């Protein structure tokens, strides 16, 4: 994991394609990589996370998926980050060793969520001296709407060169304003191109244009959130946008309804983006 | 309330000064107005809100305060907005009529919080057709960290020319990024000058400078929030920053501790603002 | 308030009758008192509480209601308790003095709910040494499902002879099991007779019969809770059960729908109580 | 799993003994079984649940533990129930098949807690027609303080002969009052004998005595809950009460402090139970 490119910009939280009978559909990954790079201009992926139903998969399945993404992403993707979080620490360690062995670009772990801290802890406090405790620590996927905490994290960790990728897709612009380096999210699977245009506008800075993009992605997300929007629905949206069959989710998730799909598609089709697409 | 100036920029959520024995301290308001205008460059106030312990006051006290602010603010302040929300609708109506009678610049009401809606409603939905139902409706003090909702509100109500003032002081920059017109908050009593400099930087746009100001106000707020920060503490901070005696809070609030005051003062004094002050 | 009867058994949290145009309907109180005593076998009332929309009324209205209940309850009711809680402490004190002046049997106050404690406090801790701080303190309306806290309260305050009246009507039997003295609730307006039969069965003890009553009141409450059950719906139920016109609720509450009323009535009529009624 | 005894009374949610270096300590299980039966009069166990850190173990470890409990419990315990819940459905199914193969008395599964239902569902609704969908379904570990839901579950499922074991140890008496058949909990590892005396008192019924036992267990639990009480602390308490070394918890849990242990032990020693022990 040496001489790495800096991790910034958009990272797609990848979906795990499944066959109609609920098995992971590895052969589709190759097409998925090409689609992200060529159609969505997204060159970083986050594999086996929440969007990828990582915790609903067996350890063996997670390894297979990690291998396929690393293999297919070679020379095409900039960073393949494998989420290795698990409720069982030995299993998480096993996944981390595996990620290193197959040459993944990095690993990520979710915070404990079954046995969890009883007091609310700010991320900013967690990061104090983190590099001394975890020398390979690179950054945080920050997925809270508390931008005070995010701003403090960024400010206090400039010297440590940590990267802060924002995880609440629908309000990324607010996070960019306080200094986020990029974003990890499921939206970037199918709205990556438009979001990259927002990042460009913001970098100029052309805030009026950036705001326009954020409004329009918000318009779509706001609409589907009201209908009930989760991983199952994201799989359905990605299927109709990309044409790649993402398949059904695994239980306990239930597939998106036909009604949801029809409405979501109509909504997305109705949006006119500033670049005319 | 005709030919009014547009309400934008900073609005100080005013503190209600009290005497040591817990009565409202009207004679101090004059000095308070001058301090906001001259030292904090803030020309709008929001009276009898949460920061002003409005709901802890009797109806009579609320009227007296409203009158004093309108009277002292004449020719000095741009907008004096009176919060008239009360749990009892007849009392709220009485306060609204009184505000109109004394020539207040506008009124505001808190949403029901005792008997409250059982389902979470987005502000954006509440505003659909609002001008038809309430022709004098002017805008919203938006005090949630959900910037998706805020962005949709702003976008969908451009034609109605509603104003959106953000109420989470510690992440105002994020709200500006998605299009907020200004802000209502307790912070602007004592950090109004610096926040106005942030607004100026943002307007240029000089995001690096704006971020610097937001980081520094965040540095202070983050510090005091960890110590326990509420209306009582705000009264204490305003007292040591402005020199105007704000007095103790009214029960059920308890006054800030000497320890809090010492620490908060030391923290604020330690901050070096970009303009050298 | 001397030589008082011990407060135990059922206390009806009274509804505030209103006219169709939203004014309080004082002349109905007399009939209401007789109904509670004669039809529901309930001889204690809690006036101006949540069920009575006390916080939606003006101070003047609260005083008028308190007077009417004390006056009409004379020689008929055992205890008339006036809720005097208000967000404004001066107003709460005014109501308390008024309750004393008119000869109410006692007062009650809600805990602060706008500015509120930031840490969760157990009732048991609040009661430590309460008699020394408030010599006239008599007891607690305990409205949480945490029966550990309730049991500790009862156990530790036996010497102080405090009374613990339970406020979660749908699980009163559980509270009786750990030692509650009685109950305050809106249900006892229209299911007081049946609940008194449950108390009798529990006192024998005939737990099988007590459980039967609790199941049946639960059957009704469970049904209406699913439909959406609050103060407005309680007013409607009381109207059709007692025949006394309770009128509409005051804003921000909206009246119960005709559909709700029809369903709730059909459900209640379908229940066969163990005593054959 | 045929000709089974009815599952009722107390079920100990077993702790997973670990060696100082964090490996599962299988050889201790035999002693643990004898202790539960002989000292605590508890003859049912729930293995690999939350108290047993089941979700922190690898699949292999969970199988080993299940085997050891079934093996050691033979002819000594009435029921050995294996918790087979996992975030990954294939893994959960694998554990269920394994439990059947080794002759466990039953299995249990936790409800989905990572991807979870977006609306609150009452248990009573979940059980409608459950026997048709899952013919081997036997009952519910009900771990909520909502006794209305519990009472409705019990009442409506009498015909199906489902068993309802209560899981909030500190308010078991309330659940017994509304009809629970027994209880599953961590407390019964070390206070099983006293709780069985409470069940006996309740069955007579001698409510005054039952209440006394509930007060005293509550006295202990209330005390330790204030200190911070979770699985790690339960391991420590069980170690000093039983003399069996339960070892440290596995990360993310941290071991109980020496201070906690000293205080908890002193508290427990100070309690005088009605039977003189």
């Amino acid at each position: 994991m040496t001489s790495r490119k800096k991790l910034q910009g958009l990272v797609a939280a990848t979906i795990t394609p499944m066959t109609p009978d609920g098995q992971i559909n590895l052969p589709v990954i190759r097409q998925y990589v090409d689609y992200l790079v060529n159609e969505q201009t997204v060159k970083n992926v986050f594999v086996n996370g929440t969007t990828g139903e990582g915790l609903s998969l067996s350890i063996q399945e997670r390894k297979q998926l990690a291998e396929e993404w690393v293999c297919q992403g070679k020379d095409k993707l900039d960073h393949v980050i494998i989420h290795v979080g698990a409720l069982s620490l030995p299993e998480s360690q096993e996944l981390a060793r595996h990620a290193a062995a197959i040459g993944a670009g990095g690993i990520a772990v979710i915070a404990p969520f079954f046995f969890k801290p009883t007091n609310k802890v700010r991320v900013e406090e967690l990061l104090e001296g983190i590099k001394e405790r975890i020398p390979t620590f690179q950054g945080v996927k920050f997925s809270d709407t508390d931008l005070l905490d995010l701003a403090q994290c960024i400010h206090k960790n400039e010297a440590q060169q940590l990267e802060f990728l924002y995880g609440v897709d629908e309000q990324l612009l607010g996070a960019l304003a306080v200094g986020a380096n990029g974003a990890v999210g499921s939206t970037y699977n199918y709205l990556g191109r438009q979001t990259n245009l927002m990042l460009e506008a913001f970098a100029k800075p052309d805030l009026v244009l950036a705001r326009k993009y954020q409004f329009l992605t918000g318009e779509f997300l706001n609409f589907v959130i009201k209908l009930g929007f989760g991983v199952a629905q994201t799989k359905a949206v990605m299927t109709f946008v990309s044409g790649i069959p993402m398949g059904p989710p695994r239980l306990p998730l239930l597939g998106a309804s036909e009604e949801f799909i029809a409405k979501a598609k109509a909504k997305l089709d109705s949006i006119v983006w500033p670049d005319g697409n």
Side-chain angles (χ1 to χ4, degrees), chain A:
Chain A
M1 304 186 195
T2 50
S3 71
R4 56 199 294 281
K5 273 198 196 178
K6 195 165 161 50
L7 176 56
Q8 54 187 14
L10 297 186
V11 182
T14 60
I15 289 158
T16 293
M18 293 186 186
T19 58
D21 64 339
Q23 301 306 306
I24 59 174
N25 189 357
L26 290 180
V28 165
I29 305 295
R30 180 179 196 154
Q31 187 184 355
Y32 195 166
V33 169
D34 290 338
Y35 176 80
L36 288 177
V37 173
N38 301 330
E39 304 296 324
Q40 296 296 343
T41 65
V42 170
K43 301 191 72 173
N44 307 298
V45 295
F46 185 91
V47 177
N48 287 334
T50 299
T51 302
E53 298 169 88
L55 291 158
S56 298
L57 305 176
S58 71
I59 300 300
Q60 192 52 35
E61 289 174 318
R62 291 174 70 167
K63 288 182 180 175
Q64 291 175 320
L65 268 162
E67 284 173 36
E68 192 67 15
W69 277 99
V70 168
C71 174
Q72 297 299 337
K74 198 164 186 308
D75 302 329
K76 292 178 180 170
L77 296 173
D78 286 343
H79 294 91
V80 176
I81 301 164
I82 309 297
H83 176 253
V84 301
L87 286 176
S88 164
L89 192 59
E91 292 186 348
S92 188
Q93 291 167 325
E94 181 182 338
L95 289 169
R97 280 188 295 264
H98 176 261
I102 64 174
I107 61 168
V109 278
I110 194 172
F113 60 92
F114 183 71
F115 291 127
K116 50 189 164 185
T118 47
N119 53 332
K120 200 192 165 193
V121 181
R122 296 177 72 80
V123 179
E124 173 233 332
E125 295 172 76
L126 288 176
L127 296 184
E128 277 174 31
I130 190 81
K131 279 283 203 180
E132 283 150 46
R133 284 173 290 144
I134 309 174
T136 58
F137 191 87
Q138 298 294 335
V140 173
K141 171 174 181 287
F142 189 101
S143 300
D144 197 286
T145 59
D146 179 347
L147 298 182
L148 169 61
D149 193 4
L150 176 61
Q152 296 304 307
C153 283
I154 292 169
H155 188 54
K156 294 191 175 170
N157 291 288
E158 270 178 358
Q160 298 196 75
Q161 295 197 291
L162 297 186
E163 289 145 14
F164 290 91
L165 305 172
Y166 196 58
V168 186
D169 304 8
E170 54 270 39
Q171 57 185 68
L172 172 55
L173 187 53
L176 294 177
V178 300
N181 303 89
V184 180
S186 60
T187 307
Y188 315 126
N189 282 294
Y190 54 90
L191 291 176
R193 190 183 58 77
Q194 291 90 334
T195 309
N196 267 325
L197 293 172
M198 181 177 86
L199 294 188
E200 282 173 29
F202 181 79
K204 277 186 182 179
D206 178 347
L207 280 168
V208 172
L209 182 60
R211 206 173 286 155
K212 186 100 198 186
Y213 278 107
Q214 182 71 91
F215 280 150
L216 292 174
T217 51
E219 181 78 7
F220 176 68
L221 291 171
N222 195 35
F223 179 82
V224 291
I225 286 168
K226 282 183 205 166
L227 298 177
F229 192 60
V231 167
Q233 287 70 31
T234 294
K235 291 186 101 157
V237 170
M238 182 60 173
T239 299
F240 73 67
V241 174
S242 71
I244 307 170
M246 292 298 161
R250 179 168 288 183
L251 283 171
L253 294 178
L254 298 175
S257 67
E258 287 305 317
E259 187 192 352
F260 170 87
I261 296 171
K263 285 186 176 172
K265 189 168 183 330
K267 183 71 186 180
L268 198 54
D269 289 346
S270 76
I271 294 176
V272 182
W273 300 92
D275 66 335
N277 281 110

